[in-house]
Each structure stands twice: as C-alpha cells, then as structure tokens.
Amino acid sequence: MRRVCLRALVKRLGSGTNIRKDVSVIHPETFEIGDGVFVGEQTIIQGRFDGRCVIGNRVWIGPQSYFDARDLVIEDCVGWGPGAKVLGSEHTGSPTGVPFIQSDLKIAPVRICAGADVGVNSIVLPGVTVGRGAIVGAGAVLTKDVPDYATVAGVPARVIGQRKP
C-alpha cells in the first residue's frame, strides 16, 4: 500500500522499490526514485516545493536516515548507513536583526556519486559531493568534497585511504 500511495505522489517511482513502514516524505512531487531502491524504516526525506531529489537505481538507505533533499542527487548503487544524514541548506545569520532560525536560508546541492558508501550516523553538510566509489566512515562529518575512491573518516572528515578504481 505504501508503494501505491507513493507512486501517486512522486514524479517517478521505479520498479522493485521497497519502502518500509514509518517513512516520512515531504514534497514528494519533487522526487525521482529509481529501480530496486530500499528505504529503511523511520527514514525522513524532506524535499522542497521548488527543489529536486533524485535517488538512482539500486540505492540502499538504512533505517532512521534523514535527507534535507532540497537539491539532492544520489546516483546508482549507493549504500547509505542507518542514521546517516544529509543537510542541503543552512541559515545564513542575515539579516542580524531577526532570530537566527528566521534568517535567510542558503540551499546548496549535495551529490553522492555512484558506488559510494556512506557509513552509519555520518553527516553530509550542504554543498558537498561524495565522489564515485568513495567510502565514508561511521560517524564522519563531511564539510568538503570527497575525491573519487577515497576513504574518509573523522570529525571533520579527512582522507585516510585511497581505493583503486
């Protein structure tokens, strides 16, 4: 039933997609979801009315994940660890005469390239691209782009290894 309802709401929903219970979606009309995608329980995907969220084929999203999917592209064959988060926007602090939470919002695209694996409880910050085949260690906080086939870990994340393509 979840699949039938979601199909009616999204731009595209591929075949063989498995949406587990208690998944929340906000602005699903901006979502394009590929074939063979798994979305774990209690995941939240928060789009934006004027945004874009693309999830490629054979992507596995672990339970309790959070996506600020205002301008998000996850390419094919990505693994997304349970509890991992992506933030696609941040408050600027301007103008200064208003509370911070009411300040202007800056949206920055986030890209997770094909074959990447994002570890449990990692956080990807606005404007970051995770390169093709990259591995992100558990609990890492990504503040800058990750090169293709790099392994990163830590807070903030830094390159700790390089895989051969």
PDB file of all heavy atoms in Angstrom, residues 2 17-25 37-45 55 59-67 80-83:
ATOM      1  N   ARG A   2       1.990   1.240   0.773  1.00  0.00           N
ATOM      2  CA  ARG A   2       2.890   2.406   0.805  1.00  0.00           C
ATOM      3  C   ARG A   2       3.390   2.726  -0.598  1.00  0.00           C
ATOM      4  O   ARG A   2       3.473   3.871  -1.000  1.00  0.00           O
ATOM      5  CB  ARG A   2       4.074   2.137   1.732  1.00  0.00           C
ATOM      6  CG  ARG A   2       3.742   2.181   3.189  1.00  0.00           C
ATOM      7  CD  ARG A   2       4.988   1.978   4.050  1.00  0.00           C
ATOM      8  NE  ARG A   2       5.557   0.655   3.921  1.00  0.00           N
ATOM      9  CZ  ARG A   2       5.161  -0.401   4.617  1.00  0.00           C
ATOM     10  NH1 ARG A   2       4.202  -0.282   5.483  1.00  0.00           N
ATOM     11  NH2 ARG A   2       5.734  -1.573   4.449  1.00  0.00           N
ATOM     12  N   THR A  17      10.991  -1.155  -5.964  1.00  0.00           N
ATOM     13  CA  THR A  17      11.341  -0.287  -4.844  1.00  0.00           C
ATOM     14  C   THR A  17      10.638  -0.773  -3.588  1.00  0.00           C
ATOM     15  O   THR A  17       9.467  -1.131  -3.622  1.00  0.00           O
ATOM     16  CB  THR A  17      10.960   1.175  -5.163  1.00  0.00           C
ATOM     17  OG1 THR A  17      11.765   1.605  -6.266  1.00  0.00           O
ATOM     18  CG2 THR A  17      11.208   2.087  -3.986  1.00  0.00           C
ATOM     19  N   ASN A  18      11.364  -0.789  -2.467  1.00  0.00           N
ATOM     20  CA  ASN A  18      10.845  -1.283  -1.202  1.00  0.00           C
ATOM     21  C   ASN A  18      10.886  -0.147  -0.190  1.00  0.00           C
ATOM     22  O   ASN A  18      11.961   0.246   0.260  1.00  0.00           O
ATOM     23  CB  ASN A  18      11.692  -2.472  -0.741  1.00  0.00           C
ATOM     24  CG  ASN A  18      11.169  -3.136   0.505  1.00  0.00           C
ATOM     25  OD1 ASN A  18      10.310  -2.613   1.208  1.00  0.00           O
ATOM     26  ND2 ASN A  18      11.714  -4.303   0.798  1.00  0.00           N
ATOM     27  N   ILE A  19       9.729   0.381   0.166  1.00  0.00           N
ATOM     28  CA  ILE A  19       9.608   1.459   1.148  1.00  0.00           C
ATOM     29  C   ILE A  19       9.082   0.833   2.437  1.00  0.00           C
ATOM     30  O   ILE A  19       7.954   0.346   2.477  1.00  0.00           O
ATOM     31  CB  ILE A  19       8.637   2.568   0.664  1.00  0.00           C
ATOM     32  CG1 ILE A  19       8.980   3.043  -0.737  1.00  0.00           C
ATOM     33  CG2 ILE A  19       8.584   3.700   1.684  1.00  0.00           C
ATOM     34  CD1 ILE A  19      10.271   3.787  -0.874  1.00  0.00           C
ATOM     35  N   ARG A  20       9.871   0.836   3.485  1.00  0.00           N
ATOM     36  CA  ARG A  20       9.474   0.222   4.750  1.00  0.00           C
ATOM     37  C   ARG A  20       8.508   1.131   5.505  1.00  0.00           C
ATOM     38  O   ARG A  20       8.300   2.283   5.125  1.00  0.00           O
ATOM     39  CB  ARG A  20      10.711  -0.083   5.598  1.00  0.00           C
ATOM     40  CG  ARG A  20      11.733  -0.965   4.894  1.00  0.00           C
ATOM     41  CD  ARG A  20      11.179  -2.290   4.438  1.00  0.00           C
ATOM     42  NE  ARG A  20      10.815  -3.070   5.620  1.00  0.00           N
ATOM     43  CZ  ARG A  20      10.151  -4.200   5.580  1.00  0.00           C
ATOM     44  NH1 ARG A  20       9.738  -4.700   4.448  1.00  0.00           N
ATOM     45  NH2 ARG A  20       9.888  -4.849   6.691  1.00  0.00           N
ATOM     46  N   LYS A  21       7.970   0.639   6.613  1.00  0.00           N
ATOM     47  CA  LYS A  21       6.966   1.401   7.357  1.00  0.00           C
ATOM     48  C   LYS A  21       7.575   2.620   8.058  1.00  0.00           C
ATOM     49  O   LYS A  21       8.772   2.672   8.313  1.00  0.00           O
ATOM     50  CB  LYS A  21       6.240   0.515   8.352  1.00  0.00           C
ATOM     51  CG  LYS A  21       7.075   0.014   9.491  1.00  0.00           C
ATOM     52  CD  LYS A  21       6.260  -0.868  10.404  1.00  0.00           C
ATOM     53  CE  LYS A  21       7.126  -1.324  11.567  1.00  0.00           C
ATOM     54  NZ  LYS A  21       6.382  -2.083  12.531  1.00  0.00           N
ATOM     55  N   ASP A  22       6.702   3.576   8.346  1.00  0.00           N
ATOM     56  CA  ASP A  22       7.047   4.804   9.069  1.00  0.00           C
ATOM     57  C   ASP A  22       8.062   5.682   8.336  1.00  0.00           C
ATOM     58  O   ASP A  22       8.823   6.421   8.964  1.00  0.00           O
ATOM     59  CB  ASP A  22       7.559   4.496  10.485  1.00  0.00           C
ATOM     60  CG  ASP A  22       6.514   3.798  11.339  1.00  0.00           C
ATOM     61  OD1 ASP A  22       5.315   4.120  11.183  1.00  0.00           O
ATOM     62  OD2 ASP A  22       6.891   2.933  12.149  1.00  0.00           O
ATOM     63  N   VAL A  23       8.090   5.617   6.999  1.00  0.00           N
ATOM     64  CA  VAL A  23       8.916   6.533   6.205  1.00  0.00           C
ATOM     65  C   VAL A  23       8.103   7.791   5.963  1.00  0.00           C
ATOM     66  O   VAL A  23       6.937   7.724   5.581  1.00  0.00           O
ATOM     67  CB  VAL A  23       9.336   5.876   4.869  1.00  0.00           C
ATOM     68  CG1 VAL A  23       9.994   6.892   3.943  1.00  0.00           C
ATOM     69  CG2 VAL A  23      10.273   4.702   5.133  1.00  0.00           C
ATOM     70  N   SER A  24       8.702   8.956   6.229  1.00  0.00           N
ATOM     71  CA  SER A  24       8.020  10.236   6.029  1.00  0.00           C
ATOM     72  C   SER A  24       8.602  10.941   4.816  1.00  0.00           C
ATOM     73  O   SER A  24       9.826  10.974   4.647  1.00  0.00           O
ATOM     74  CB  SER A  24       8.208  11.142   7.249  1.00  0.00           C
ATOM     75  OG  SER A  24       7.620  10.571   8.391  1.00  0.00           O
ATOM     76  N   VAL A  25       7.724  11.488   3.988  1.00  0.00           N
ATOM     77  CA  VAL A  25       8.165  12.249   2.821  1.00  0.00           C
ATOM     78  C   VAL A  25       7.473  13.612   2.818  1.00  0.00           C
ATOM     79  O   VAL A  25       6.285  13.707   3.115  1.00  0.00           O
ATOM     80  CB  VAL A  25       7.888  11.502   1.497  1.00  0.00           C
ATOM     81  CG1 VAL A  25       8.733  10.244   1.409  1.00  0.00           C
ATOM     82  CG2 VAL A  25       6.427  11.154   1.345  1.00  0.00           C
ATOM     83  N   VAL A  37      15.246   0.344  -5.303  1.00  0.00           N
ATOM     84  CA  VAL A  37      15.659   1.159  -4.150  1.00  0.00           C
ATOM     85  C   VAL A  37      15.034   0.595  -2.875  1.00  0.00           C
ATOM     86  O   VAL A  37      13.866   0.191  -2.868  1.00  0.00           O
ATOM     87  CB  VAL A  37      15.236   2.633  -4.347  1.00  0.00           C
ATOM     88  CG1 VAL A  37      15.468   3.455  -3.089  1.00  0.00           C
ATOM     89  CG2 VAL A  37      15.982   3.235  -5.533  1.00  0.00           C
ATOM     90  N   PHE A  38      15.806   0.561  -1.796  1.00  0.00           N
ATOM     91  CA  PHE A  38      15.313   0.168  -0.484  1.00  0.00           C
ATOM     92  C   PHE A  38      15.404   1.378   0.426  1.00  0.00           C
ATOM     93  O   PHE A  38      16.463   2.006   0.523  1.00  0.00           O
ATOM     94  CB  PHE A  38      16.154  -0.975   0.100  1.00  0.00           C
ATOM     95  CG  PHE A  38      15.791  -1.314   1.522  1.00  0.00           C
ATOM     96  CD1 PHE A  38      14.780  -2.225   1.782  1.00  0.00           C
ATOM     97  CD2 PHE A  38      16.445  -0.711   2.583  1.00  0.00           C
ATOM     98  CE1 PHE A  38      14.426  -2.529   3.095  1.00  0.00           C
ATOM     99  CE2 PHE A  38      16.102  -1.015   3.898  1.00  0.00           C
ATOM    100  CZ  PHE A  38      15.086  -1.921   4.157  1.00  0.00           C
ATOM    101  N   VAL A  39      14.297   1.710   1.099  1.00  0.00           N
ATOM    102  CA  VAL A  39      14.277   2.819   2.061  1.00  0.00           C
ATOM    103  C   VAL A  39      13.849   2.242   3.403  1.00  0.00           C
ATOM    104  O   VAL A  39      12.714   1.767   3.560  1.00  0.00           O
ATOM    105  CB  VAL A  39      13.325   3.949   1.621  1.00  0.00           C
ATOM    106  CG1 VAL A  39      13.336   5.077   2.647  1.00  0.00           C
ATOM    107  CG2 VAL A  39      13.700   4.476   0.247  1.00  0.00           C
ATOM    108  N   GLY A  40      14.760   2.275   4.381  1.00  0.00           N
ATOM    109  CA  GLY A  40      14.528   1.672   5.684  1.00  0.00           C
ATOM    110  C   GLY A  40      13.534   2.427   6.548  1.00  0.00           C
ATOM    111  O   GLY A  40      13.224   3.601   6.320  1.00  0.00           O
ATOM    112  N   GLU A  41      13.049   1.728   7.569  1.00  0.00           N
ATOM    113  CA  GLU A  41      12.044   2.263   8.483  1.00  0.00           C
ATOM    114  C   GLU A  41      12.479   3.571   9.130  1.00  0.00           C
ATOM    115  O   GLU A  41      13.655   3.786   9.391  1.00  0.00           O
ATOM    116  CB  GLU A  41      11.749   1.236   9.581  1.00  0.00           C
ATOM    117  CG  GLU A  41      11.074  -0.008   9.047  1.00  0.00           C
ATOM    118  CD  GLU A  41      10.784  -1.042  10.134  1.00  0.00           C
ATOM    119  OE1 GLU A  41      11.114  -0.811  11.301  1.00  0.00           O
ATOM    120  OE2 GLU A  41      10.227  -2.083   9.775  1.00  0.00           O
ATOM    121  N   GLN A  42      11.503   4.427   9.358  1.00  0.00           N
ATOM    122  CA  GLN A  42      11.664   5.707  10.053  1.00  0.00           C
ATOM    123  C   GLN A  42      12.605   6.677   9.353  1.00  0.00           C
ATOM    124  O   GLN A  42      13.180   7.568   9.981  1.00  0.00           O
ATOM    125  CB  GLN A  42      12.108   5.477  11.499  1.00  0.00           C
ATOM    126  CG  GLN A  42      11.123   4.666  12.295  1.00  0.00           C
ATOM    127  CD  GLN A  42      11.605   4.357  13.691  1.00  0.00           C
ATOM    128  OE1 GLN A  42      12.772   4.587  14.037  1.00  0.00           O
ATOM    129  NE2 GLN A  42      10.720   3.825  14.515  1.00  0.00           N
ATOM    130  N   THR A  43      12.773   6.524   8.062  1.00  0.00           N
ATOM    131  CA  THR A  43      13.565   7.479   7.284  1.00  0.00           C
ATOM    132  C   THR A  43      12.701   8.690   6.974  1.00  0.00           C
ATOM    133  O   THR A  43      11.499   8.570   6.753  1.00  0.00           O
ATOM    134  CB  THR A  43      14.070   6.820   5.984  1.00  0.00           C
ATOM    135  OG1 THR A  43      15.049   5.837   6.342  1.00  0.00           O
ATOM    136  CG2 THR A  43      14.680   7.821   5.017  1.00  0.00           C
ATOM    137  N   ILE A  44      13.316   9.866   6.955  1.00  0.00           N
ATOM    138  CA  ILE A  44      12.635  11.108   6.604  1.00  0.00           C
ATOM    139  C   ILE A  44      13.324  11.684   5.379  1.00  0.00           C
ATOM    140  O   ILE A  44      14.541  11.880   5.378  1.00  0.00           O
ATOM    141  CB  ILE A  44      12.684  12.129   7.755  1.00  0.00           C
ATOM    142  CG1 ILE A  44      11.991  11.566   8.996  1.00  0.00           C
ATOM    143  CG2 ILE A  44      12.062  13.458   7.315  1.00  0.00           C
ATOM    144  CD1 ILE A  44      12.205  12.397  10.245  1.00  0.00           C
ATOM    145  N   ILE A  45      12.532  11.960   4.334  1.00  0.00           N
ATOM    146  CA  ILE A  45      13.050  12.620   3.134  1.00  0.00           C
ATOM    147  C   ILE A  45      12.259  13.916   2.982  1.00  0.00           C
ATOM    148  O   ILE A  45      11.084  13.902   2.650  1.00  0.00           O
ATOM    149  CB  ILE A  45      12.912  11.743   1.875  1.00  0.00           C
ATOM    150  CG1 ILE A  45      13.539  10.369   2.099  1.00  0.00           C
ATOM    151  CG2 ILE A  45      13.559  12.456   0.672  1.00  0.00           C
ATOM    152  CD1 ILE A  45      13.308   9.390   0.956  1.00  0.00           C
ATOM    153  N   ILE A  55      16.991   9.874  -6.599  1.00  0.00           N
ATOM    154  CA  ILE A  55      17.615   8.693  -5.998  1.00  0.00           C
ATOM    155  C   ILE A  55      17.739   7.662  -7.111  1.00  0.00           C
ATOM    156  O   ILE A  55      16.738   7.248  -7.694  1.00  0.00           O
ATOM    157  CB  ILE A  55      16.785   8.152  -4.818  1.00  0.00           C
ATOM    158  CG1 ILE A  55      16.675   9.228  -3.725  1.00  0.00           C
ATOM    159  CG2 ILE A  55      17.410   6.869  -4.270  1.00  0.00           C
ATOM    160  CD1 ILE A  55      15.761   8.869  -2.579  1.00  0.00           C
ATOM    161  N   VAL A  59      19.813   1.780  -4.901  1.00  0.00           N
ATOM    162  CA  VAL A  59      20.315   2.502  -3.726  1.00  0.00           C
ATOM    163  C   VAL A  59      19.716   1.853  -2.485  1.00  0.00           C
ATOM    164  O   VAL A  59      18.530   1.514  -2.463  1.00  0.00           O
ATOM    165  CB  VAL A  59      19.922   3.998  -3.803  1.00  0.00           C
ATOM    166  CG1 VAL A  59      20.224   4.715  -2.497  1.00  0.00           C
ATOM    167  CG2 VAL A  59      20.645   4.671  -4.968  1.00  0.00           C
ATOM    168  N   TRP A  60      20.544   1.652  -1.457  1.00  0.00           N
ATOM    169  CA  TRP A  60      20.087   1.087  -0.193  1.00  0.00           C
ATOM    170  C   TRP A  60      20.207   2.165   0.870  1.00  0.00           C
ATOM    171  O   TRP A  60      21.308   2.684   1.109  1.00  0.00           O
ATOM    172  CB  TRP A  60      20.930  -0.129   0.187  1.00  0.00           C
ATOM    173  CG  TRP A  60      20.399  -0.855   1.389  1.00  0.00           C
ATOM    174  CD1 TRP A  60      19.502  -1.882   1.389  1.00  0.00           C
ATOM    175  CD2 TRP A  60      20.727  -0.611   2.763  1.00  0.00           C
ATOM    176  NE1 TRP A  60      19.247  -2.288   2.678  1.00  0.00           N
ATOM    177  CE2 TRP A  60      19.988  -1.522   3.550  1.00  0.00           C
ATOM    178  CE3 TRP A  60      21.560   0.308   3.415  1.00  0.00           C
ATOM    179  CZ2 TRP A  60      20.059  -1.548   4.946  1.00  0.00           C
ATOM    180  CZ3 TRP A  60      21.632   0.269   4.801  1.00  0.00           C
ATOM    181  CH2 TRP A  60      20.892  -0.655   5.549  1.00  0.00           C
ATOM    182  N   ILE A  61      19.080   2.517   1.486  1.00  0.00           N
ATOM    183  CA  ILE A  61      19.034   3.558   2.518  1.00  0.00           C
ATOM    184  C   ILE A  61      18.640   2.902   3.834  1.00  0.00           C
ATOM    185  O   ILE A  61      17.537   2.351   3.956  1.00  0.00           O
ATOM    186  CB  ILE A  61      18.033   4.663   2.136  1.00  0.00           C
ATOM    187  CG1 ILE A  61      18.493   5.353   0.849  1.00  0.00           C
ATOM    188  CG2 ILE A  61      17.874   5.658   3.283  1.00  0.00           C
ATOM    189  CD1 ILE A  61      17.481   6.314   0.259  1.00  0.00           C
ATOM    190  N   GLY A  62      19.530   2.958   4.801  1.00  0.00           N
ATOM    191  CA  GLY A  62      19.289   2.327   6.097  1.00  0.00           C
ATOM    192  C   GLY A  62      18.225   3.045   6.910  1.00  0.00           C
ATOM    193  O   GLY A  62      17.869   4.194   6.642  1.00  0.00           O
ATOM    194  N   PRO A  63      17.700   2.360   7.917  1.00  0.00           N
ATOM    195  CA  PRO A  63      16.652   2.932   8.757  1.00  0.00           C
ATOM    196  C   PRO A  63      17.116   4.179   9.496  1.00  0.00           C
ATOM    197  O   PRO A  63      18.308   4.370   9.736  1.00  0.00           O
ATOM    198  CB  PRO A  63      16.315   1.806   9.744  1.00  0.00           C
ATOM    199  CG  PRO A  63      17.314   0.742   9.549  1.00  0.00           C
ATOM    200  CD  PRO A  63      18.089   1.015   8.319  1.00  0.00           C
ATOM    201  N   GLN A  64      16.153   5.018   9.816  1.00  0.00           N
ATOM    202  CA  GLN A  64      16.343   6.235  10.608  1.00  0.00           C
ATOM    203  C   GLN A  64      17.290   7.236   9.961  1.00  0.00           C
ATOM    204  O   GLN A  64      17.971   8.002  10.632  1.00  0.00           O
ATOM    205  CB  GLN A  64      16.796   5.895  12.027  1.00  0.00           C
ATOM    206  CG  GLN A  64      15.791   5.038  12.763  1.00  0.00           C
ATOM    207  CD  GLN A  64      16.253   4.640  14.147  1.00  0.00           C
ATOM    208  OE1 GLN A  64      17.437   4.730  14.483  1.00  0.00           O
ATOM    209  NE2 GLN A  64      15.320   4.190  14.964  1.00  0.00           N
ATOM    210  N   SER A  65      17.327   7.236   8.633  1.00  0.00           N
ATOM    211  CA  SER A  65      18.135   8.212   7.903  1.00  0.00           C
ATOM    212  C   SER A  65      17.335   9.498   7.726  1.00  0.00           C
ATOM    213  O   SER A  65      16.105   9.486   7.786  1.00  0.00           O
ATOM    214  CB  SER A  65      18.530   7.647   6.541  1.00  0.00           C
ATOM    215  OG  SER A  65      19.341   6.509   6.711  1.00  0.00           O
ATOM    216  N   TYR A  66      18.036  10.599   7.500  1.00  0.00           N
ATOM    217  CA  TYR A  66      17.381  11.888   7.283  1.00  0.00           C
ATOM    218  C   TYR A  66      18.004  12.569   6.071  1.00  0.00           C
ATOM    219  O   TYR A  66      19.231  12.658   5.952  1.00  0.00           O
ATOM    220  CB  TYR A  66      17.537  12.809   8.495  1.00  0.00           C
ATOM    221  CG  TYR A  66      17.012  14.199   8.217  1.00  0.00           C
ATOM    222  CD1 TYR A  66      15.644  14.453   8.237  1.00  0.00           C
ATOM    223  CD2 TYR A  66      17.873  15.235   7.893  1.00  0.00           C
ATOM    224  CE1 TYR A  66      15.151  15.714   7.945  1.00  0.00           C
ATOM    225  CE2 TYR A  66      17.390  16.488   7.603  1.00  0.00           C
ATOM    226  CZ  TYR A  66      16.039  16.727   7.630  1.00  0.00           C
ATOM    227  OH  TYR A  66      15.550  17.976   7.333  1.00  0.00           O
ATOM    228  N   PHE A  67      17.138  13.040   5.170  1.00  0.00           N
ATOM    229  CA  PHE A  67      17.598  13.736   3.968  1.00  0.00           C
ATOM    230  C   PHE A  67      16.931  15.096   3.868  1.00  0.00           C
ATOM    231  O   PHE A  67      15.709  15.181   3.744  1.00  0.00           O
ATOM    232  CB  PHE A  67      17.229  12.927   2.708  1.00  0.00           C
ATOM    233  CG  PHE A  67      17.908  11.598   2.644  1.00  0.00           C
ATOM    234  CD1 PHE A  67      17.311  10.484   3.184  1.00  0.00           C
ATOM    235  CD2 PHE A  67      19.151  11.468   2.043  1.00  0.00           C
ATOM    236  CE1 PHE A  67      17.932   9.247   3.138  1.00  0.00           C
ATOM    237  CE2 PHE A  67      19.779  10.228   2.002  1.00  0.00           C
ATOM    238  CZ  PHE A  67      19.169   9.118   2.543  1.00  0.00           C
ATOM    239  N   TRP A  80      23.708   3.714   1.977  1.00  0.00           N
ATOM    240  CA  TRP A  80      23.511   4.817   2.924  1.00  0.00           C
ATOM    241  C   TRP A  80      23.253   4.207   4.293  1.00  0.00           C
ATOM    242  O   TRP A  80      22.202   3.607   4.523  1.00  0.00           O
ATOM    243  CB  TRP A  80      22.329   5.678   2.475  1.00  0.00           C
ATOM    244  CG  TRP A  80      22.230   6.944   3.233  1.00  0.00           C
ATOM    245  CD1 TRP A  80      21.493   7.159   4.364  1.00  0.00           C
ATOM    246  CD2 TRP A  80      22.894   8.168   2.951  1.00  0.00           C
ATOM    247  NE1 TRP A  80      21.670   8.454   4.803  1.00  0.00           N
ATOM    248  CE2 TRP A  80      22.525   9.084   3.951  1.00  0.00           C
ATOM    249  CE3 TRP A  80      23.778   8.573   1.958  1.00  0.00           C
ATOM    250  CZ2 TRP A  80      23.008  10.393   3.971  1.00  0.00           C
ATOM    251  CZ3 TRP A  80      24.255   9.873   1.981  1.00  0.00           C
ATOM    252  CH2 TRP A  80      23.865  10.771   2.970  1.00  0.00           C
ATOM    253  N   GLY A  81      24.201   4.323   5.207  1.00  0.00           N
ATOM    254  CA  GLY A  81      24.115   3.667   6.507  1.00  0.00           C
ATOM    255  C   GLY A  81      22.984   4.167   7.379  1.00  0.00           C
ATOM    256  O   GLY A  81      22.553   5.317   7.271  1.00  0.00           O
ATOM    257  N   PRO A  82      22.498   3.300   8.268  1.00  0.00           N
ATOM    258  CA  PRO A  82      21.439   3.683   9.186  1.00  0.00           C
ATOM    259  C   PRO A  82      21.804   4.935   9.974  1.00  0.00           C
ATOM    260  O   PRO A  82      22.931   5.096  10.440  1.00  0.00           O
ATOM    261  CB  PRO A  82      21.326   2.472  10.120  1.00  0.00           C
ATOM    262  CG  PRO A  82      21.807   1.325   9.300  1.00  0.00           C
ATOM    263  CD  PRO A  82      22.908   1.896   8.452  1.00  0.00           C
ATOM    264  N   GLY A  83      20.843   5.838  10.089  1.00  0.00           N
ATOM    265  CA  GLY A  83      21.032   7.054  10.873  1.00  0.00           C
ATOM    266  C   GLY A  83      21.865   8.133  10.213  1.00  0.00           C
ATOM    267  O   GLY A  83      22.047   9.210  10.786  1.00  0.00           O
TER     268      GLY A  83
END
